[in-house]
Amino acid sequence: LELKNERRITVATEELQARLHRIEMAVEATAIEVERSSEANRFMAKLLAERAGVVNFPVKAERVITPH
């Protein structure tokens, strides 16, 4: 009985190790994609900030009446 129980634990441990490895790979891939997305966001924000510096904005904003 003890040998049978030890084999069952070993198989379950190996399966869990493989599953954990797959989860780690998925988390790592997600982290890389999030970093790429945030880098693209920073790049776009930089471009928009540079563009906004060139445009002449009106000195006084017009008053806008919105319906309620």
Side-chain angles (χ1 to χ4, degrees):
L1 283 175
E2 289 177 9
L3 290 176
K4 187 176 183 181
N5 191 23
E6 285 179 17
R7 276 192 225 140
R8 191 177 303 157
I9 291 172
T10 305
V11 172
T13 303
E14 291 172 1
E15 290 174 6
L16 288 175
Q17 288 290 338
R19 186 175 182 188
L20 180 61
H21 179 66
R22 289 192 307 269
I23 292 171
E24 288 174 348
M25 296 300 288
V27 169
E28 187 174 330
T30 303
I32 290 170
E33 290 301 317
V34 167
E35 180 62 30
R36 289 175 68 186
S37 177
S38 63
E39 189 64 34
N41 243 359
R42 284 190 290 270
F43 178 74
M44 289 301 295
K46 180 182 173 187
L47 287 180
L48 291 173
E50 288 173 356
R51 180 183 286 179
V54 175
V55 176
N56 293 326
F57 290 106
V59 176
K60 184 176 179 184
E62 295 180 28
R63 185 176 172 159
V64 178
I65 300 174
T66 58
H68 295 285

